Amino acid sequence: MKNTNIKKFLVISGLILASNFFQNLAIAQQKNDPKFTKMIQESFKAEGIAGLDRIDQDATQKFCSDPQFANSKQGEAMRVKIQKMNMDTIKQPSDGKYIGDWKRGEGVAQSGRGATWTDKADTVVGGGCYNCHQIDPKEISYGNIGPSLTGYAKLRGYSQEIVSYTWNRINNSKAYNACSNMPRFGHFKLLDEKQMQDVMALLLDPESPVNK
């Protein structure tokens, strides 16, 4: 019995030590590594509209750049804070209208142009939505990193809750999933309000081919 208790004690102690080790490692990984920072800064240069400010990570990006911490128990509480912080940045339409023109929205979804060093500051940025989603079922070229959006409103309905959720998700997807792969279109002003209203129409207008 004594030997059994000793073995149990050693196993439990080992688990506690291992848990503390990984927690401390996660905390350490959250801190800036000067050598890594220096390497990143020396690897990029400002060119055109692409400034070096693009390599400066905000709190959300830093959190998601450390998956070990993000998926740890410590990270769970931080994840909730990160998502709330992103939700608080979302602005609702200034004119109160969520739905624009689905035909223009299709153009935004098809375009992946803009925001590169070769573009001008006034170059219209596209959403590049087809890079990750199936949308209009007639389009045969699309990515599958994100879920299919075909039949979006037809399947989900047209309630105000769905409308608000969709608007928020396009604006800043990290309000719902801190480490979502989806760009924060509104947060980083990649798409303007009108463009987002038009993408909303593509997904939610009953006349859009998405919902036929």
Side-chain angles (χ1 to χ4, degrees), residues 20-113:
N20 290 337
F21 169 78
F22 284 113
Q23 286 180 358
N24 291 333
L25 179 62
I27 292 171
Q29 288 179 328
Q30 286 290 293
K31 297 178 180 178
N32 291 326
D33 183 333
K35 291 182 179 180
F36 177 78
T37 301
K38 184 174 184 292
M39 178 191 72
I40 291 294
Q41 291 174 340
E42 292 177 349
S43 297
F44 294 89
K45 65 177 181 178
E47 192 77 37
I49 63 172
L52 289 179
D53 58 303
R54 294 191 179 187
I55 65 174
D56 293 332
Q57 291 187 316
D58 63 16
T60 302
Q61 293 164 331
K62 287 180 180 178
F63 175 77
C64 296
S65 291
D66 186 353
Q68 185 173 0
F69 175 77
N71 294 314
S72 69
K73 287 187 177 180
Q74 283 182 306
E76 287 179 9
M78 180 64 74
R79 181 180 295 270
V80 172
K81 292 180 180 179
I82 291 288
Q83 289 172 180
K84 184 181 184 304
M85 180 178 65
N86 280 281
M87 180 66 79
D88 291 343
T89 69
I90 298 174
K91 295 180 180 179
Q92 302 306 305
S94 59
D95 59 3
K97 298 178 181 179
Y98 288 87
I99 309 299
D101 184 321
W102 71 260
K103 293 180 181 178
R104 290 198 299 263
E106 172 67 7
V108 175
Q110 288 280 0
S111 174
R113 180 68 190 275

Side-chain angles (χ1 to χ4, degrees), residues 1-14:
M1 289 294 293
K2 289 183 179 180
N3 288 337
T4 301
N5 289 335
I6 291 173
K7 288 180 180 179
K8 286 182 178 179
F9 173 77
L10 291 174
V11 169
I12 292 172
S13 298

